């Protein structure tokens, strides 16, 4: 499975961005999809995930109420709508895919649970 993330950019605090992650390859629509982020000097951290059907989602506390993950399996694309952005949301955002990566919040939040990674897209939020 190949993943291509896009949609990052520079936005002012309080603004919005929508990230996209296009998946290609074998049975990509049957995978759970997730978003992680990595700020400079920090470890990569979990943001959110969505099951293959779109019915199950998990969110990190920092994302709840502001970010929304969704997917369109017909387009093999997962989206991350980010609202009310804060300077601390500045990071490179990575999408990930995995066959059994979202069986629980604990599983979804672990880097090692995911099989495939995209190249990342930079999000910068100015104050």
């Amino acid at each position: 499975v190949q993943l291509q993330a896009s949609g990052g950019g520079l936005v002012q605090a309080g603004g919005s961005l929508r990230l996209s992650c296009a998946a290609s390859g074998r049975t990509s629509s049957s995978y759970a999809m997730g978003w992680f982020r990595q700020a400079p000097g920090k470890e990569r951290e979990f943001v959110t995930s969505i099951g293959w059907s779109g019915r199950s989602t998990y969110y990190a506390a920092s994302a709840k109420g502001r970010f929304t993950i969704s997917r369109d399996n017909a387009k093999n694309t997962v989206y991350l709508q980010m609202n009310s952005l804060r300077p601390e949301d500045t990071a490179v955002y990575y999408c990930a895919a995995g066959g059994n990566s979202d069986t629980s919040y604990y599983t979804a939040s672990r880097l090692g649970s995911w099989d495939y990674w995209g190249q990342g897209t930079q999000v910068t939020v100015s104050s």
Side-chain angles (χ1 to χ4, degrees):
V1 176
Q2 293 79 46
L3 304 174
Q4 180 72 40
S6 62
L10 174 64
V11 64
Q12 288 189 328
S16 299
L17 278 175
R18 187 175 83 153
L19 307 183
S20 299
C21 177
S24 60
R26 185 178 173 187
T27 63
S28 58
S29 63
S30 66
Y31 285 92
M33 301 290 291
W35 287 96
F36 287 72
R37 67 185 184 186
Q38 188 166 17
K42 295 188 176 181
E43 294 184 350
R44 193 171 299 189
E45 65 176 11
F46 174 74
V47 177
T48 180
S49 68
I50 187 167
W52 69 269
S53 69
R55 287 196 293 265
S56 67
T57 58
Y58 295 108
Y59 291 91
S62 59
K64 277 183 182 178
R66 299 188 301 127
F67 296 1
T68 302
I69 190 170
S70 61
R71 67 188 297 164
D72 183 339
N73 285 343
K75 297 181 178 179
N76 289 325
T77 301
V78 65
Y79 303 98
L80 179 62
Q81 177 67 43
M82 303 187 294
N83 299 326
S84 302
L85 282 162
R86 306 165 179 165
E88 53 264 40
D89 295 318
T90 295
V92 177
Y93 283 70
Y94 297 90
C95 59
N100 292 290
S101 308
D102 70 331
T103 53
S104 67
Y105 177 87
Y106 174 76
T107 302
S109 64
R110 295 177 67 244
L111 294 175
S113 298
W114 299 88
D115 303 313
Y116 305 99
W117 292 87
Q119 85 292 357
T121 184
Q122 175 71 47
V123 171
T124 303
V125 184
S126 63
S127 58

